[in-house]
PDB file of all heavy atoms in Angstrom:
ATOM      1  N   ASP A1102    -163.893 114.020-230.064  1.00 94.00           N
ATOM      2  CA  ASP A1102    -163.734 114.873-231.236  1.00 94.00           C
ATOM      3  C   ASP A1102    -163.170 116.220-230.761  1.00 94.00           C
ATOM      4  O   ASP A1102    -163.889 117.050-230.207  1.00 94.00           O
ATOM      5  CB  ASP A1102    -165.092 115.067-231.918  1.00 94.00           C
ATOM      6  CG  ASP A1102    -164.998 115.868-233.209  1.00 94.00           C
ATOM      7  OD1 ASP A1102    -164.006 116.608-233.378  1.00 94.00           O
ATOM      8  OD2 ASP A1102    -165.913 115.759-234.041  1.00 94.00           O
ATOM      9  N   GLU A1103    -161.844 116.420-230.955  1.00 92.00           N
ATOM     10  CA  GLU A1103    -161.180 117.626-230.475  1.00 92.00           C
ATOM     11  C   GLU A1103    -161.746 118.878-231.149  1.00 92.00           C
ATOM     12  O   GLU A1103    -161.908 119.923-230.498  1.00 92.00           O
ATOM     13  CB  GLU A1103    -159.673 117.531-230.754  1.00 92.00           C
ATOM     14  CG  GLU A1103    -158.968 116.374-230.063  1.00 92.00           C
ATOM     15  CD  GLU A1103    -158.679 116.656-228.606  1.00 92.00           C
ATOM     16  OE1 GLU A1103    -158.956 117.781-228.144  1.00 92.00           O
ATOM     17  OE2 GLU A1103    -158.159 115.742-227.919  1.00 92.00           O
ATOM     18  N   LYS A1104    -162.044 118.786-232.425  1.00 92.00           N
ATOM     19  CA  LYS A1104    -162.528 119.950-233.177  1.00 92.00           C
ATOM     20  C   LYS A1104    -163.858 120.448-232.630  1.00 92.00           C
ATOM     21  O   LYS A1104    -164.058 121.649-232.421  1.00 92.00           O
ATOM     22  CB  LYS A1104    -162.664 119.597-234.654  1.00 92.00           C
ATOM     23  CG  LYS A1104    -163.115 120.761-235.520  1.00 92.00           C
ATOM     24  CD  LYS A1104    -163.213 120.351-236.992  1.00 92.00           C
ATOM     25  CE  LYS A1104    -163.682 121.512-237.856  1.00 92.00           C
ATOM     26  NZ  LYS A1104    -163.773 121.130-239.292  1.00 92.00           N
ATOM     27  N   ASN A1105    -164.787 119.524-232.399  1.00 93.00           N
ATOM     28  CA  ASN A1105    -166.123 119.901-231.929  1.00 93.00           C
ATOM     29  C   ASN A1105    -166.273 119.820-230.413  1.00 93.00           C
ATOM     30  O   ASN A1105    -167.355 120.062-229.887  1.00 93.00           O
ATOM     31  CB  ASN A1105    -167.172 119.004-232.586  1.00 93.00           C
ATOM     32  CG  ASN A1105    -167.249 119.202-234.081  1.00 93.00           C
ATOM     33  OD1 ASN A1105    -167.292 120.331-234.556  1.00 93.00           O
ATOM     34  ND2 ASN A1105    -167.231 118.105-234.830  1.00 93.00           N
ATOM     35  N   ARG A1106    -165.164 119.442-229.724  1.00 92.00           N
ATOM     36  CA  ARG A1106    -165.186 119.300-228.258  1.00 92.00           C
ATOM     37  C   ARG A1106    -166.349 118.416-227.825  1.00 92.00           C
ATOM     38  O   ARG A1106    -167.194 118.815-227.006  1.00 92.00           O
ATOM     39  CB  ARG A1106    -165.265 120.673-227.593  1.00 92.00           C
ATOM     40  CG  ARG A1106    -164.055 121.547-227.889  1.00 92.00           C
ATOM     41  CD  ARG A1106    -164.185 122.914-227.257  1.00 92.00           C
ATOM     42  NE  ARG A1106    -163.030 123.744-227.542  1.00 92.00           N
ATOM     43  CZ  ARG A1106    -162.879 125.001-227.154  1.00 92.00           C
ATOM     44  NH1 ARG A1106    -163.844 125.583-226.465  1.00 92.00           N
ATOM     45  NH2 ARG A1106    -161.793 125.681-227.465  1.00 92.00           N
ATOM     46  N   GLU A1107    -166.374 117.235-228.397  1.00 94.00           N
ATOM     47  CA  GLU A1107    -167.517 116.338-228.193  1.00 94.00           C
ATOM     48  C   GLU A1107    -167.041 114.937-227.836  1.00 94.00           C
ATOM     49  O   GLU A1107    -166.188 114.361-228.519  1.00 94.00           O
ATOM     50  CB  GLU A1107    -168.354 116.292-229.470  1.00 94.00           C
ATOM     51  CG  GLU A1107    -169.627 115.495-229.356  1.00 94.00           C
ATOM     52  CD  GLU A1107    -170.430 115.550-230.645  1.00 94.00           C
ATOM     53  OE1 GLU A1107    -170.032 114.875-231.627  1.00 94.00           O
ATOM     54  OE2 GLU A1107    -171.438 116.285-230.679  1.00 94.00           O
ATOM     55  N   PHE A1108    -167.576 114.395-226.766  1.00 95.00           N
ATOM     56  CA  PHE A1108    -167.340 113.015-226.361  1.00 95.00           C
ATOM     57  C   PHE A1108    -168.374 112.130-227.036  1.00 95.00           C
ATOM     58  O   PHE A1108    -169.577 112.411-226.975  1.00 95.00           O
ATOM     59  CB  PHE A1108    -167.445 112.885-224.841  1.00 95.00           C
ATOM     60  CG  PHE A1108    -167.336 111.474-224.325  1.00 95.00           C
ATOM     61  CD1 PHE A1108    -166.337 110.620-224.761  1.00 95.00           C
ATOM     62  CD2 PHE A1108    -168.243 111.008-223.381  1.00 95.00           C
ATOM     63  CE1 PHE A1108    -166.239 109.315-224.277  1.00 95.00           C
ATOM     64  CE2 PHE A1108    -168.146 109.725-222.881  1.00 95.00           C
ATOM     65  CZ  PHE A1108    -167.142 108.873-223.336  1.00 95.00           C
ATOM     66  N   GLN A1109    -167.913 111.060-227.710  1.00 96.00           N
ATOM     67  CA  GLN A1109    -168.796 110.205-228.498  1.00 96.00           C
ATOM     68  C   GLN A1109    -168.723 108.754-228.016  1.00 96.00           C
ATOM     69  O   GLN A1109    -167.629 108.208-227.858  1.00 96.00           O
ATOM     70  CB  GLN A1109    -168.408 110.280-229.978  1.00 96.00           C
ATOM     71  CG  GLN A1109    -168.489 111.695-230.549  1.00 96.00           C
ATOM     72  CD  GLN A1109    -167.934 111.800-231.948  1.00 96.00           C
ATOM     73  OE1 GLN A1109    -167.312 110.866-232.454  1.00 96.00           O
ATOM     74  NE2 GLN A1109    -168.154 112.943-232.597  1.00 96.00           N
ATOM     75  N   VAL A1110    -169.880 108.189-227.782  1.00 97.00           N
ATOM     76  CA  VAL A1110    -169.988 106.781-227.396  1.00 97.00           C
ATOM     77  C   VAL A1110    -170.713 106.047-228.525  1.00 97.00           C
ATOM     78  O   VAL A1110    -171.921 106.226-228.711  1.00 97.00           O
ATOM     79  CB  VAL A1110    -170.765 106.605-226.068  1.00 97.00           C
ATOM     80  CG1 VAL A1110    -170.731 105.139-225.619  1.00 97.00           C
ATOM     81  CG2 VAL A1110    -170.190 107.515-224.990  1.00 97.00           C
ATOM     82  N   HIS A1111    -169.982 105.238-229.274  1.00 97.00           N
ATOM     83  CA  HIS A1111    -170.565 104.508-230.399  1.00 97.00           C
ATOM     84  C   HIS A1111    -171.082 103.162-229.889  1.00 97.00           C
ATOM     85  O   HIS A1111    -170.309 102.258-229.584  1.00 97.00           O
ATOM     86  CB  HIS A1111    -169.519 104.304-231.497  1.00 97.00           C
ATOM     87  CG  HIS A1111    -170.044 103.545-232.679  1.00 97.00           C
ATOM     88  ND1 HIS A1111    -169.240 103.055-233.680  1.00 97.00           N
ATOM     89  CD2 HIS A1111    -171.315 103.173-233.028  1.00 97.00           C
ATOM     90  CE1 HIS A1111    -169.975 102.419-234.575  1.00 97.00           C
ATOM     91  NE2 HIS A1111    -171.239 102.482-234.191  1.00 97.00           N
ATOM     92  N   ILE A1112    -172.397 103.039-229.772  1.00 97.00           N
ATOM     93  CA  ILE A1112    -173.020 101.797-229.314  1.00 97.00           C
ATOM     94  C   ILE A1112    -173.285 100.921-230.538  1.00 97.00           C
ATOM     95  O   ILE A1112    -174.099 101.261-231.396  1.00 97.00           O
ATOM     96  CB  ILE A1112    -174.350 102.061-228.581  1.00 97.00           C
ATOM     97  CG1 ILE A1112    -174.172 103.121-227.499  1.00 97.00           C
ATOM     98  CG2 ILE A1112    -174.886 100.759-228.007  1.00 97.00           C
ATOM     99  CD1 ILE A1112    -173.248 102.729-226.384  1.00 97.00           C
ATOM    100  N   SER A1113    -172.616  99.796-230.606  1.00 97.00           N
ATOM    101  CA  SER A1113    -172.767  98.909-231.755  1.00 97.00           C
ATOM    102  C   SER A1113    -173.889  97.899-231.555  1.00 97.00           C
ATOM    103  O   SER A1113    -174.890  97.917-232.265  1.00 97.00           O
ATOM    104  CB  SER A1113    -171.454  98.186-232.038  1.00 97.00           C
ATOM    105  OG  SER A1113    -171.615  97.222-233.065  1.00 97.00           O
TER     106      SER A1113
END
Side-chain angles (χ1 to χ4, degrees):
D1102 184 339
E1103 299 281 356
K1104 182 179 179 180
N1105 295 313
R1106 297 178 180 178
E1107 185 177 75
F1108 175 47
Q1109 301 172 350
V1110 186
H1111 179 191
I1112 309 296
S1113 174

